[in-house]
Amino acid sequence: MTKILRVTSSIKGPNSVTTKLTDHIVEKLGGDVTTRDTTTIPLIDGTWIGAAYTPAEDRSDEQKETLALSDTLINEIRAADVLVIGAPVYNFGVTAPLKAWLDQICRVGESFRYTEAGPEGLLGPKRVIVAYASGGVPQGSAYDLASAYLKQVLAFIGITDVSFVTAEGVSVDEAAALARAEAQIADLAA
């Protein structure tokens, strides 16, 4: 059975367009679903960085505790075959909760490593479907800082099979934006 990690990141909760779209995507795909709500994930800080860059065998109990959530989030990705990420666009970019999740999962020695040839991602291959919703920022446009950023960060950790379901122009005509996104979901291969 396909294992799906569903990542939600809207502060609107169940009323969010991307939350509704991720519901429909995981329903279309079928499988065993784990949902990660990123709205409660803390920001990384200097203590976190210090713990992450301390070799595992040298970490104090406090440092291990500091990285416990990061370990859990990375293991959720490892266990998944498919990631379905809800990515509403706020002020041209990803939400702060989604950024917090991305920061927690980008960890040297765990999700990537440095080599003489440059960084190497350790979490691929995985399939990712991003539910992208914006009030008026077309996905892939010069104003869209979210989708290119997501693709870059996911590639950094080794995940390059990324596609988008888009609900653009929600503030202009929400019903039409949702209808276009639903048509894209209907065309997804399970």
Side-chain angles (χ1 to χ4, degrees), residues 72-135:
T72 297
L73 298 175
I74 292 169
N75 286 330
E76 287 175 349
I77 295 170
R78 284 187 180 122
D81 302 306
V82 178
L83 281 69
V84 176
I85 300 174
V89 175
Y90 294 178
N91 302 315
F92 309 104
V94 298
T95 64
L98 186 53
K99 175 71 165 83
W101 179 76
L102 292 166
D103 285 345
Q104 290 277 352
I105 65 167
C106 290
R107 236 176 78 206
V108 68
E110 294 293 329
S111 59
F112 72 93
R113 67 178 165 215
Y114 293 113
T115 70
E116 289 181 13
E120 177 185 5
L122 302 175
L123 296 182
K126 307 277 180 193
R127 178 184 183 194
V128 176
I129 302 167
V130 178
Y132 174 102
S134 71

Side-chain angles (χ1 to χ4, degrees), residues 40-63:
T40 60
I41 293 177
L43 300 176
I44 63 170
D45 59 14
T47 301
W48 188 95
I49 292 290
Y53 279 88
T54 297
E57 64 275 7
D58 295 334
R59 287 186 191 131
S60 67
D61 289 342
E62 181 180 301
Q63 288 176 316

Side-chain angles (χ1 to χ4, degrees), residues 3-57:
K3 294 183 179 177
I4 300 169
L5 174 60
R6 175 179 179 242
V7 179
T8 62
S9 66
S10 174
I11 60 174
K12 295 180 181 179
N15 297 321
S16 160
V17 169
T18 57
T19 299
K20 292 173 187 173
L21 292 176
T22 60
D23 284 344
H24 296 159
I25 293 167
V26 298
E27 182 179 305
K28 168 72 175 176
L29 297 176
D32 181 22
V33 180
T34 298
T35 297
R36 172 56 66 181
D37 176 5
T38 63
T39 61
T40 60
I41 293 177
L43 300 176
I44 63 170
D45 59 14
T47 301
W48 188 95
I49 292 290
Y53 279 88
T54 297
E57 64 275 7

